[in-house]
Amino acid sequence: MSIGFSWGRAIRAVCNAFQSSEYYNVTVVQMAGCLSVGDPTYDGLELATTVAQKFNASYTNIVSPVYVDHKKALAATRNLDIALTGIGTLDDTNGSSYLFTGSENDLKLAKEYGAVGHVLARLMDKDGNEVTFPNHYPIAAPLEA
């Protein structure tokens, strides 16, 4: 079995709630690059490692920032059995984890392109369609995964 993790406060709470147990043939997969918000306990790298330790599982991580200026394939995320991810808004006054990842200009540009929320660092419009703009490619599982 493989279990994928994104990042953020809600996912950290879920990971913290898991009880240690010994499972066999389990792989934990980090589904998106690192946020680099100053608190590594929000990042998928830390969360995947923590859960892998709790489950006596192996893990696959992404040692990369959440965004780069070119596209990359993330093959391990295409065959998950379970995926845990948050869904966020670009207007979260409580501090959506995504809002810590970019500049004010990136946020403004995302909104100009019609983005209202995000899943796995992928921006979404009000109808659930992915919003993209040049030189802003997420290092994360594709939505169809």
Side-chain angles (χ1 to χ4, degrees), residues 32-106:
C34 296
L35 293 171
S36 301
V37 297
D39 184 349
T41 63
Y42 286 105
D43 270 331
L45 176 62
E46 178 81 15
L47 296 173
T49 303
T50 299
V51 171
Q53 289 171 344
K54 285 184 175 185
F55 291 173
N56 192 34
S58 62
Y59 67 93
T60 301
N61 59 21
I62 302 169
V63 183
S64 170
V66 72
Y67 288 107
V68 295
D69 61 2
H70 61 280
K71 293 183 179 182
K72 248 184 189 181
L74 298 172
T77 63
R78 293 188 181 272
N79 297 308
L80 298 173
D81 296 303
I82 299 170
L84 297 175
T85 184
I87 300 171
T89 175
L90 297 185
D91 294 317
D92 185 354
T93 57
N94 293 318
S96 168
S97 300
Y98 176 83
L99 299 180
F100 297 123
T101 65
S103 68
E104 290 287 327
N105 190 47
D106 285 345

Side-chain angles (χ1 to χ4, degrees), residues 114-119 122-131 143:
V116 297
H118 57 90
V119 175
R122 297 188 180 280
L123 298 167
M124 309 299 288
D125 67 16
K126 66 180 179 59
D127 297 317
N129 300 307
E130 187 168 2
V131 173
L143 295 177

